[in-house]
Amino acid sequence: MKKIAIACDHAGFDYKESIKKHLQANFEVKDFGTYSKDAVDYPDFVHPTATSVENGESDFGILICGSGQGVSITANKHQQIRCALCWMPELAELARKHNNANMIAIPARFIAQELAVEIIEKFLGTDFEGGRHENRVNKIPFC
């Protein structure tokens, strides 16, 4: 069973709870927080989630905040993370197919929960194509 790491800030809390319940039928889900709608600093939750994916404890990661930007920027500071900010299923599909993204960032203030679930399902259900994309992805880590 694939392992999914999930985290959010206060703006993404309701989405995280809904997405987590949806995923638990088919995946092992580890919740890295936050655990309420109280204001928090998202890096405190993103770094442990990204580390879980980076070191192989989790197969994929899902991050949710108001815009998706802050969590994506933070996750991508990790050398082995390729976190894609997605607001439509087609972006999630291409992020997996062409970029071998291993984390996804969802903008809770800009899309409906139902669309967020659809995007995540597309992300988790799409394989990396490899081929010509493999060489490009291998060039991403810089130092």
Side-chain angles (χ1 to χ4, degrees):
M1 181 176 284
K2 293 236 184 238
K3 296 177 183 177
I4 309 298
I6 191 168
C8 67
D9 71 356
H10 48 281
F13 177 74
D14 288 336
Y15 278 47
K16 179 188 64 116
E17 293 301 301
S18 175
I19 291 164
K20 184 172 65 171
K21 286 178 188 169
H22 177 80
L23 292 175
Q24 286 174 330
N26 298 306
F27 300 95
E28 183 180 324
V29 181
K30 176 152 180 160
D31 185 346
F32 285 87
T34 190
Y35 305 106
S36 75
K37 293 181 188 180
D38 295 339
V40 296
D41 296 333
Y42 58 83
D44 295 340
F45 304 95
V46 173
H47 286 303
T49 308
T51 298
S52 176
V53 174
E54 192 170 38
N55 68 20
E57 290 174 14
S58 299
D59 297 296
F60 295 101
I62 299 168
L63 302 170
I64 309 141
C65 74
S67 70
Q69 295 285 8
V71 294
S72 177
I73 290 167
T74 304
N76 281 317
K77 296 295 182 184
H78 292 253
Q79 280 295 304
Q80 297 304 313
I81 296 300
R82 293 170 305 282
C83 184
L85 171 57
C86 299
W87 57 92
M88 54 194 301
E90 295 83 358
L91 292 171
E93 181 178 28
L94 288 173
R96 287 288 305 130
K97 279 184 174 182
H98 293 182
N99 308 116
N100 200 16
N102 51 13
M103 296 188 79
I104 187 170
I106 300 293
R109 291 188 177 138
F110 295 91
I111 62 172
Q113 278 189 27
E114 296 80 19
L115 180 55
V117 169
E118 184 181 339
I119 292 166
I120 290 165
E121 285 179 348
K122 181 64 81 171
F123 180 81
L124 296 174
T126 302
D127 292 326
F128 178 50
E129 284 182 352
R132 70 183 195 274
H133 304 291
E134 182 110 26
N135 190 46
R136 297 168 187 162
V137 170
N138 289 338
K139 291 179 178 183
I140 293 173
F142 185 68
C143 43

